[in-house]
């Protein structure tokens, strides 16, 4: 029996939350971006997005004024569809 999408998303959120102190920067606005069950129905692929502060920008005026900009980043979690165990977390390029 496979876990449903809510449980897969919950597993991804919990896993991400447990690693926040190891990521190296502050994250905010965690959101579900994508959810996909693999064709063989063995894994859920859950994409979570969040914003993080960016120290330098492509705008030199903002840099001079020390205005903090934010950038959205995405992580893809591969979750076992039977057990709900997170097998991997990867950076998703957009």
């Amino acid at each position: 029996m496979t876990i449903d999408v809510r449980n897969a998303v919950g597993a991804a959120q919990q896993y991400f939350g447990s690693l926040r102190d190891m990521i190296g920067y502050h994250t905010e606005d965690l959101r579900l971006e994508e959810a996909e069950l693999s064709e063989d129905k063995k894994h859920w692929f859950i994409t979570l997005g969040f914003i993080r502060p960016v120290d330098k920008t492509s705008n030199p005026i903002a840099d001079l004024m020390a205005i903090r900009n934010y950038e959205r980043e995405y992580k893809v979690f591969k979750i076992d569809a039977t057990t709900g165990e997170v097998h991997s977390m990867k950076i998703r390029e957009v």
Side-chain angles (χ1 to χ4, degrees):
M1 183 169 164
T2 61
I3 63 170
D4 67 5
V5 69
R6 284 188 176 276
N7 288 326
V9 171
Q13 289 173 326
Q14 184 176 14
Y15 189 83
F16 182 76
S18 73
L19 297 177
R20 275 191 170 169
D21 62 326
M22 301 172 84
I23 290 176
Y25 47 79
H26 178 72
T27 64
E28 296 177 30
D29 192 29
L30 185 65
R31 295 183 192 174
L32 170 63
E33 303 287 349
E34 298 175 335
E36 178 183 11
L37 184 60
S38 63
E39 287 186 27
D40 62 7
K41 298 188 182 348
K42 291 184 179 183
H43 295 97
W44 281 101
F45 294 96
I46 304 297
T47 303
L48 299 179
F50 55 90
I51 57 173
R52 67 179 184 90
V54 177
D55 292 328
K56 292 288 181 183
T57 69
S58 60
N59 181 345
I61 295 171
D63 290 340
L64 287 173
M65 296 173 56
I67 296 173
R68 185 155 281 218
N69 286 320
Y70 291 87
E71 182 176 276
R72 193 139 196 95
E73 193 168 301
Y74 305 91
K75 302 284 187 192
V76 177
F77 299 83
K78 182 179 179 180
I79 299 166
D80 186 295
T82 303
T83 66
E85 179 183 0
V86 177
H87 286 225
S88 68
M89 176 180 78
K90 296 182 178 183
I91 296 170
R92 183 177 187 300
E93 300 291 333
V94 178

